Amino acid sequence: MGRKRALVSVTDKDGLVQFVRGLVAMDYEIIATDGTHRYLKDNGVDSRTVEEITGLRSTARVKTLHPAIYKPLLEGGENPIEVLVCNLYPFEKNLEKEIEDLVELIDIGGVCLIRAAAKNYAQVTVVIDPADYDSVLGSLKEETLDINRRKDLAKKAFAYIAYYDSVITSKFGTGMESYGALPLRLDRRLRYGENPHQKAWFFLGEEKNGLIKVYQGKEISYNNFLDAHTAYGAALEHSRKCCVVVKHTSPCGVGVADSALDAYTKAHMGDPVSAFGGVVGFNCEVDEAAASRMTEIFLEVIIAPSFTESALNILKKKKRLRVISSPPEIFSRISIKDAFGGILVQEADKTVNEEFRCVTIKKPNDYERETLDFAWRVCKWVKSNGIVLAIKDRVVGIGAGQPSRVGAVE
């Protein structure tokens, strides 16, 4: 058996030098691809190039695809590669470009290396995340990195390359034509699910990462996210400054006005009782006046595109209140529901019927048309069967989630 070997090929070099130095201290021979080799050399760490191992000169597209690399990764033998440190080209960080300009960022060799090492988790430790460097290095030093830990790292590696491939698929189109390919990354673990005994997680699509900012408050739950989604989405339906109060995933109050304060006041009038403990969404910046008014009652969540500094300082008095900002583009172009162990996928409903066809003898006047348009936009977010009673700039009553429309009206 020869000297222990580690193969290193990374784009994200955060924490790499310290990690590799730790491997060298344990007498690992380091093999590195060109860019990683140069980076290590610049930081005083010796490594052998892949070219030295394969005997072939690397090209722009072919570096590690050679039996001299894959045999020791997949089969072990006299000179096995026992550790693979690898992460991929930054495809998802360049999604604003056209696919024709992204072709060279579609990683081939890195994906193959990770897949090979993860397949051979019985013998190989595969590390794709710098966040794992310290724990892996510690376990290697203490000789406690057992097969269960390697299996967990392999699972993470397979999930990583599946996500990477789904991002590429999504850039080519929806990814829904033949096989499901949704690029999702864990954003956060939630306080609990729909009920306290259920675990829950929140995942975001690749282009949405970092778009949700939580300023304060208790840990967010599954229900909080559902209500915040409805409150913010319903508010964004309107061109005037709008506030929506949601309770149990359905709006209970909606108001539009020339200021955030007046919009909130009108929304609260829709159902003052249900507003207590509700979730509030705005399509405009929340200022000091609106923030002050909202502190008068208990609320679970406030979500808006932005908050003034003075508004945030006022809301800090409510330490349990969750305060969230996000740009309007956070909403997805598809809608997903689980069913029978699979998922139902449809295009997101981003349209509002601008054309009304009157089928009655009496024709609506301009005020009634404007009120109908307002109510129509509200009703889009009300659980069926849903009925919305409204005047020009606020709802008067909402009946939601009833088997009968008559029941919804009542």
Side-chain angles (χ1 to χ4, degrees):
M1 180 72 70
R3 186 181 175 189
K4 293 182 292 186
R5 297 195 296 174
L7 174 58
V8 186
S9 177
V10 298
T11 297
D12 181 358
K13 296 176 174 60
D14 185 37
L16 181 68
V17 171
Q18 183 179 356
F19 182 67
V20 174
R21 281 177 177 160
L23 294 176
V24 171
M26 290 184 282
D27 200 34
Y28 276 86
E29 179 183 54
I30 307 300
I31 305 166
T33 49
D34 292 345
T36 304
H37 170 76
R38 288 192 297 271
Y39 178 79
L40 291 173
K41 184 178 181 180
D42 291 344
N43 285 275
V45 180
D46 291 332
S47 64
R48 298 182 67 187
T49 65
V50 168
E51 291 181 353
E52 292 179 61
I53 304 300
T54 64
L56 295 175
R57 185 173 181 177
S58 298
T59 67
R61 290 191 171 186
V62 181
K63 297 178 176 68
T64 58
L65 296 171
H66 192 279
I69 297 296
Y70 283 90
K71 186 175 177 62
L73 257 185
L74 284 165
E75 297 178 359
E78 290 296 319
N79 292 292
I81 295 174
E82 298 181 35
V83 176
L84 173 72
V85 186
C86 185
N87 50 62
L88 306 174
Y89 292 158
F91 188 93
E92 67 175 321
K93 294 182 179 179
N94 293 273
L95 292 175
E96 73 282 357
K97 299 178 181 179
E98 296 299 321
I99 187 63
E100 291 77 13
D101 299 321
L102 285 173
V103 168
E104 295 308 320
L105 289 179
I106 297 176
D107 205 316
I108 304 300
V111 171
C112 293
L113 288 174
I114 293 170
R115 184 176 290 277
K119 178 177 180 176
N120 193 22
Y121 69 87
Q123 296 176 290
V124 180
T125 300
V126 54
V127 188
I128 54 93
D129 187 350
D132 292 322
Y133 286 170
D134 288 345
S135 63
V136 169
L137 199 60
S139 297
L140 288 172
K141 287 179 180 177
E142 297 169 6
E143 299 184 349
T144 57
L145 206 155
D146 60 12
I147 191 169
N148 291 323
R149 175 69 167 133
R150 291 197 299 274
K151 191 174 182 179
D152 285 340
L153 290 167
K155 178 175 67 175
K156 187 172 185 177
F158 280 124
Y160 173 59
I161 57 178
Y163 169 76
Y164 185 83
D165 284 342
S166 68
V167 173
I168 297 169
T169 303
S170 181
K171 188 62 181 178
F172 275 90
T174 63
M176 289 289 119
E177 286 79 6
S178 301
Y179 300 97
L182 293 175
L184 300 173
R185 183 191 289 268
L186 180 66
D187 180 77
R188 69 193 70 219
R189 290 173 174 81
L190 304 180
R191 188 179 180 202
Y192 52 77
E194 188 171 359
N195 298 291
H197 63 274
Q198 294 174 274
K199 294 180 181 179
W201 303 262
F202 178 60
F203 287 82
L204 273 174
E206 82 287 353
E207 77 282 10
K208 312 293 185 183
N209 289 314
L211 293 186
I212 294 177
K213 184 174 183 179
V214 180
Y215 294 91
Q216 64 173 64
K218 293 193 303 182
E219 188 179 3
I220 300 174
S221 74
Y222 178 91
N223 292 330
N224 293 150
F225 261 115
L226 286 178
D227 286 348
H229 172 87
T230 299
Y232 195 26
L236 290 172
E237 295 288 345
H238 303 272
S239 57
R240 295 182 68 192
K241 291 181 179 178
C242 179
C243 176
V244 177
V245 182
V246 167
K247 197 69 171 286
H248 302 307
T249 71
S250 191
C252 61
V254 183
V256 294
D258 295 327
S259 70
L261 172 61
D262 289 344
Y264 169 73
T265 301
K266 291 176 180 179
H268 184 267
M269 291 170 64
D271 189 343
V273 175
S274 296
F276 184 86
V279 171
V280 178
F282 290 87
N283 67 350
C284 59
E285 185 171 68
V286 173
D287 57 18
E288 182 177 354
S292 295
R293 181 65 59 83
M294 286 187 287
T295 60
E296 295 177 359
I297 67 169
F298 168 65
L299 296 171
E300 288 278 1
V301 181
I302 302 173
I303 183 169
S306 60
F307 296 80
T308 64
E309 282 298 321
S310 57
L312 289 173
N313 288 332
I314 289 170
L315 295 173
K316 284 179 183 176
K317 299 173 185 177
K318 296 281 191 175
K319 298 187 183 299
R320 295 163 66 87
L321 172 65
R322 304 157 179 93
V323 178
I324 304 171
S325 70
S326 183
E329 55 266 27
I330 190 65
F331 286 87
S332 176
R333 53 199 168 101
I334 59 173
S335 175
I336 302 170
K337 299 286 185 182
D338 69 296
F340 300 113
I343 59 172
L344 292 167
V345 181
Q346 66 174 350
E347 294 178 336
D349 184 4
K350 293 184 177 292
T351 60
V352 174
N353 187 6
E354 304 284 354
E355 299 290 331
F356 288 100
R357 184 169 63 91
C358 184
V359 296
T360 60
I361 296 173
K362 185 180 184 308
K363 307 299 181 184
N365 59 34
D366 290 344
Y367 172 86
E368 291 168 333
R369 275 187 166 274
E370 190 172 343
T371 305
L372 281 169
D373 179 74
F374 169 75
W376 184 262
R377 294 171 187 273
V378 173
C379 199
K380 174 180 172 180
W381 291 86
V382 176
K383 301 298 181 185
S384 185
N385 281 305
I387 296 293
V388 175
L389 305 179
I391 56 178
K392 184 176 179 180
D393 53 9
R394 71 177 179 89
V395 299
V396 176
I398 296 176
Q402 299 297 318
S404 164
R405 286 186 176 86
V406 174
V409 173
E410 293 174 345

